[in-house]
Amino acid sequence: MADDARADYREAFANAGFVGPLPFMAKPQALFFAKHLRLSRQARPAVWHKALGPSDPLIYKVASSPKLVGILQALIGEDLVLWGASVVTRKPGESHPWHCDMESCEPDGGFASVWIGLVNLQKDNGLKFIRGSHAYGVTIQELAAREGIPREGRTDDDVLRLANSQRGDAEIVQPEIGDGEAVVFDGRIWHGSHNDSAGVSRISLLLQYARSDRKIRVPDFRNLEWPFRFIDERPPVVAIAGRSDADANALVPPPGDLPGELRPSLHPIDPGSRCEEGVSFTPVPCFEGRTANAEFMECHYSILMPGASPHPPHRHVEEEILVVMSGCAELVLPASGGATEIVSAPAGAASYYPPYRLHTIRNASAEPVRYAMIKWRSSFVSAVEPLGTVIVRSTWLQEGGPGGPMAMTRLFEGPSAYLGKFHAHVTRIEPGAGYDAHRDGHDVAIFLLQGKIRVRGKEIPAPAVVFLPAGCLHDMKSVGTQTAKYLVWEFHKSARAPAPGLAAVSGDRQTPAKRPENGGRTAAG
């Protein structure tokens, strides 16, 4: 961060007690996080509801965004911990009474909170502050208690009168925060909110930080009035930057250790494989780890016996691609209103599911089905409108395709939830043809459905899965007597899709996604 920007933020924080609104993420990012917070099965630690930082990898990644951390270091110090992360939902007509946060209102400061608007932020329904009240040295709760004003009865007029008793020029300010914008405020400031929007709930994410030498305490939430009371148990705290003091707080590691780095790999699938007697579904792991483009990626193939389904329709935070390698399956895609779409999926059919898309697969045929899938997530989401569900029909496998020894046909391309660009195409290579060794800046997953190929000096027949991480040297040659045909998926971490943070300001200037060529949910080779 430039020195002049640090100085501006520091001056506003010192004088007003808050900075913002600041552009933080594009609206599709904000909507994605709201969906994630609503649908993910969060681990809820027993201590309190503000412990999502140590339990949710995506929230932790947002909270540890370098640009955000840089601002916080300019405001409260180089050594930072994240002690609170929680979802704040306000229904229409619901208020959060004027208050100071009990955990962070120590007179000498060292605390900062980041309030991020996610969904339905409108004029006059965001946070309100008493400008400069962080410097009063007294909480609104204490002054209200002296005059017998209960928590639910603190009107704007009452609060302004109490503020003027501390400083004669007190005023209420309400930054106009939109979806994807943030405000950073001192932990001692007087603040409240009211959602007067008709018929819509307002959703925001609250991240709370402290200088690492500050001791974090959990309030006794049975008492929200002055004097404050606290319980003995210490909350989990995650180190964000600089040095940490294990004596001051209960430090815990960030959520989820990073898996190992993926290497090139080839995974043949036995076309005659079956489940053991009495077993209807058998998954076989292929690889799991991280790449330069995805923080987590996992691949396996499964054997699904007649009449079976691996699980009821479910959803998850990861993106997913699924390819039917042999047999004939059915893709089950529940929709709103109780409707369910059933898509026939013979060998060569594939699907892409964005995060939290309800889906499953079943085998309604008389023979086993073998399918392969890859799931992945990353530390950022796209700053433009991401791809929706895409179904790839199996016709490409039966068709001859364009002439020549080798041909490629694009299926779709565009930004996804976690990738700057997600690209799919089908490739046909005649026996003896191929391409020379080269390196890609993106990860490549190949689902071989027909023929036999040699890649990186190893031969592998269909059906098979080949994974080539970014930067690995690889070539390709069709070495069988049959034309090789395969699906290719490319995973690009584009510089145009920044990580969550103050650089991800807008998707307006992004190149529009290249959607499936027929304009709908399906694509065919």
Side-chain angles (χ1 to χ4, degrees):
M1 184 191 308
D3 290 342
D4 54 349
R6 291 174 68 96
D8 290 343
Y9 288 141
R10 193 180 295 116
E11 181 180 4
F13 194 73
N15 294 334
F18 68 92
V19 177
L22 302 171
F24 191 83
M25 60 178 71
K27 287 187 177 182
Q29 289 179 300
L31 184 61
F32 171 82
F33 271 98
K35 182 183 289 187
H36 170 68
L37 296 170
R38 178 172 61 89
L39 296 176
S40 61
R41 296 180 178 178
Q42 305 287 356
R44 304 287 183 178
V47 179
W48 66 344
H49 66 286
K50 291 189 174 185
L52 293 180
S55 62
D56 188 299
L58 289 184
I59 291 178
Y60 172 76
K61 285 298 179 182
V62 172
S64 59
S65 164
K67 291 184 179 294
L68 176 57
V69 169
I71 288 179
L72 292 165
Q73 288 179 316
L75 301 181
I76 61 175
E78 295 296 318
D79 305 325
L80 298 175
V81 295
L82 175 72
W83 59 265
S86 55
V87 185
V88 182
T89 301
R90 294 283 171 239
K91 298 178 181 179
E94 186 177 6
S95 295
H96 194 180
W98 282 95
H99 67 287
C100 297
D101 291 329
M102 292 184 285
E103 309 94 332
S104 60
C105 57
E106 294 181 7
D108 52 352
F111 295 82
S113 298
V114 180
W115 192 85
I116 306 166
L118 296 180
V119 178
N120 295 327
L121 269 292
Q122 301 174 9
K123 184 178 181 180
D124 300 332
N125 78 352
L127 291 181
K128 295 185 289 186
F129 301 103
I130 294 291
R131 186 190 298 273
S133 56
H134 64 297
Y136 290 174
V138 62
T139 66
I140 177 64
Q141 289 97 320
E142 181 177 354
L143 293 183
R146 292 177 189 173
E147 297 200 12
I149 304 174
R151 174 181 171 86
E152 300 298 332
R154 295 172 198 154
T155 66
D156 288 359
D157 288 342
D158 289 331
V159 171
L160 194 57
R161 178 174 55 81
L162 293 174
N164 275 306
S165 73
Q166 302 301 303
R167 197 169 74 183
D169 61 348
E171 62 174 330
I172 295 174
V173 292
Q174 186 172 31
E176 190 172 333
I177 305 173
D179 294 349
E181 295 183 321
V183 62
V184 183
F185 59 92
D186 191 293
R188 301 166 292 182
I189 200 167
W190 298 14
H191 61 285
S193 69
H194 177 76
N195 182 10
D196 57 3
S197 303
V200 294
S201 293
R202 185 204 72 200
I203 304 174
S204 57
L205 175 64
L206 178 64
L207 304 172
Q208 295 176 287
Y209 303 81
R211 210 167 59 222
S212 63
D213 61 347
R214 291 295 185 252
K215 182 177 180 179
I216 310 303
R217 298 182 294 171
V218 177
D220 182 346
F221 288 104
R222 295 172 297 181
N223 174 63
L224 299 178
E225 300 286 9
W226 181 264
F228 301 149
R229 294 198 295 264
F230 299 87
I231 65 175
D232 292 333
E233 194 166 3
R234 295 196 298 173
V237 170
V238 182
I240 293 293
R243 296 177 298 176
S244 303
D245 187 346
D247 294 330
N249 293 295
L251 290 171
V252 298
D257 293 332
L258 285 176
E261 187 172 351
L262 285 174
R263 300 178 64 82
S265 57
L266 291 75
H267 305 275
I269 300 173
D270 181 359
S273 56
R274 303 177 64 91
C275 297
E276 295 181 0
E277 188 68 29
V279 177
S280 61
F281 166 67
T282 302
V284 180
C286 294
F287 57 81
E288 179 176 313
R290 72 178 187 276
T291 77
N293 299 285
E295 185 176 273
F296 172 81
M297 184 174 286
E298 182 267 335
C299 175
H300 66 270
Y301 70 86
S302 297
I303 307 164
L304 191 62
M305 299 302 286
S309 178
H311 46 68
H314 72 163
R315 52 180 134 216
H316 42 72
V317 66
E318 297 87 3
E319 299 182 72
E320 177 181 313
I321 51 177
L322 180 151
V323 181
V324 178
M325 305 300 289
S326 68
C328 185
E330 290 182 339
L331 306 179
V332 182
L333 305 174
S336 59
T340 298
E341 182 181 3
I342 307 297
V343 179
S344 178
S351 58
Y352 160 72
Y353 302 129
Y356 297 116
R357 174 61 159 105
L358 272 172
H359 63 279
T360 191
I361 186 173
R362 69 188 183 194
N363 183 358
S365 71
E367 297 295 328
V369 166
R370 298 157 197 95
Y371 64 93
M373 55 159 292
I374 296 179
K375 293 195 299 185
W376 70 94
R377 64 176 184 269
S378 194
S379 58
F380 65 92
V381 293
S382 174
V384 294
E385 191 67 33
L387 287 165
T389 302
V390 180
I391 304 298
V392 177
R393 304 291 180 178
S394 63
T395 52
W396 68 272
L397 189 57
Q398 289 79 43
E399 295 172 349
M406 180 175 173
M408 292 179 286
T409 303
R410 191 182 70 191
L411 297 175
F412 64 88
E413 179 181 294
S416 71
Y418 298 121
L419 299 170
K421 184 174 75 173
F422 182 43
H423 168 97
H425 67 264
V426 297
T427 295
R428 174 188 57 79
I429 308 179
E430 297 299 330
Y435 55 79
D436 295 334
H438 68 285
R439 303 178 192 272
D440 293 317
H442 52 270
D443 305 320
V444 176
I446 295 172
F447 292 78
L448 178 65
L449 274 295
Q450 179 181 296
K452 186 178 183 180
I453 59 175
R454 184 173 65 228
V455 56
R456 290 177 56 88
K458 296 181 180 180
E459 295 185 359
I460 186 169
V465 178
V466 177
F467 181 71
L468 304 167
C472 79
L473 185 67
H474 65 278
D475 57 356
M476 178 72 68
K477 188 173 184 179
S478 174
V479 295
T481 59
Q482 189 180 24
T483 301
K485 294 184 178 181
Y486 53 81
L487 277 166
V488 178
W489 311 84
E490 297 179 0
F491 307 83
H492 297 251
K493 183 180 181 179
S494 171
R496 294 179 301 161
L502 300 178
V505 298
S506 174
D508 294 343
R509 293 184 298 276
Q510 306 296 327
T511 302
K514 297 174 183 176
R515 303 293 173 169
E517 304 210 356
N518 59 7
R521 288 178 51 256
T522 63

